[in-house]
Amino acid sequence: MDHSRVPVLEALQEFRRRGDVVYGPPGHKQGRGVDPRVADVVGLDVFRSDVLSLNGLDDRRQSQEMLGQAQDLMADAVGAERAFFSTCGSSLSVKTAMLAVAGPGEKLLVSRNAHKSVIAAVVVNGVEPIWVHPKFDAGRHLAHPPEPDDVRRRLREHPDAKGMLLITPTDWGTCADVAGVARVCHEFDVPLIVDEAWGAHFPFHPELPAWGMDAEADLVVTSVHKMGGAIEQSSVFHLQYDRVSPEVLKQREDLLGTTSASSLVYATLDGWRRQMVEHGHVLLDAALCRAERVRSAVGDLPGLRPMGREVVKEGLAADVDPLKIAIDVRDLGITGMQAAEWLRAHRHVDVGGSDTCRINASLTHADDDETEEVLLGALRALADSADSIERQPPVRLPASPALELEQALLPRDAFFAPVEHVPAEHAAGRISAETISPYPPGVPVVAPGEVVTDGVLDYLRSGVDHGVLIPDAADPTLRTLRVVART
Ligand SMILES: Cc1ncc(COP(=O)(O)O)c(C=O)c1O
């Protein structure tokens, strides 16, 4: 295929060259009506390129089929049989992917280190989740994706399960043995869906962890905006084999997706694919060298412990994305959240994530010598200044079994049940009617239907005292919890 072509971008360029006047959405009419104070900040070009596909980029019959062509090029670039663009982020794509495999009342294996969008999908889709618990790394207080044997055990227990959803890489960059899990799923003749939101760059360099399609997954969802070069909300489904029908995927996507897809998202996805096919290897080579340099320099700083390949061993992770620089800061006597806040306030450096133990900086093809030096300079300053940061009592981190909560009700039944709000002191033993996810990374500690325990409450509330944010709970302070009412 001709990867120098960018069908959506070319249509956009042509639309702008023709100077079409549109009498439909968007109402700003390619920037004619935009408040200049808005254009001053975001630029007029954003509005000039904000045009619908139907009766905009393309005609009423969509006769150019530029989206189809762009998707075919993407599929070819990453070795998938089919690719579909989505403009609603992987939060929506993952719901669609799950719905394409298991409908209401059907069982789906789901690895429990799931992003909150997956738990939301379980509620919205009405699926019965068969949780596959992650590998808990007690020393690092990190959850890594489950292993093939964990999946085999659950499939034996639930032979009527329709498939498996695996989340890899994690927000901290640790990866599953996707090929091993795919083999197990295929032994049971069910599809493997991979939420590879953080892995959009994997297809484009052999030294990166195995890419889901290469590892024989059936359906892979990526968020290109996370580690790739398209704008926010850009997500792609990739499909291969015949365990998931493209027709079913398309129709279920249509249930959830927008009817006003952003051409900006499509155009930047198109451009990212061309850039990666033409220059991806060189760009990612440079990023990998940079990441190695950064990791080694951070390791020389007092009190900072960057995570590397030592985490790759049986019972922990199967692989790790070298471009994720996860740094344990506990030896500085502070939490990751404090480190993140200090870096932003004192060095204008915004890290990608933080939790009680660590911070996380993602490097991509976009980094250069300047961003490398900014990051290292800021981390040096953090190590030098840590003594001046206020000490806090430690977050009470639970042992791993305490995080595996009993599922008393289906998530959907609990979410839509009559509820009451109880003081946290009285919440142990009650069934949660809400999702409680420290954010970021947004992996729920409590899902609807799970029985709250004292151990988990203690962990969450001591986290809140340290500034952990719980945006999805009805009461983000966790003084009260929303639980299923007693009848
Ligand atoms: C593993 C995982 N899946 C899905 C999502 C949702 O992706 P998006 O932000 O593109 O909607 C995230 C977001 O952080 C994530 O970490």
Side-chain angles (χ1 to χ4, degrees), residues 49 70-71 78 108 115 119 132 139 163 169 179 204 209 219 223 247 257 323 325 331 334 370 387 393 401 407 443 464:
S49 297
Q71 293 177 153
V78 302
L108 183 71
H115 183 254
I119 309 294
V132 187
F204 301 108
L219 177 53
S223 286
E247 181 185 297
L323 297 185
I325 315 284
D331 289 350
I334 58 173
E370 185 188 346
D387 286 347
Q407 177 88 43
V443 174
V464 169

Side-chain angles (χ1 to χ4, degrees), residues 120-133:
V122 166
V123 171
V124 172
N125 299 356
V127 75
E128 181 181 341
I130 306 299
W131 300 122
V132 187
H133 285 288

Side-chain angles (χ1 to χ4, degrees), residues 88-91 115 117 167 169 171 195 197-198 223 225-226 439 441:
C88 303
S90 291
S91 296
H115 183 254
S117 55
I167 291 96
D171 304 71
D195 174 354
W198 286 101
S223 286
H225 64 92
K226 288 192 191 302
Y439 203 90

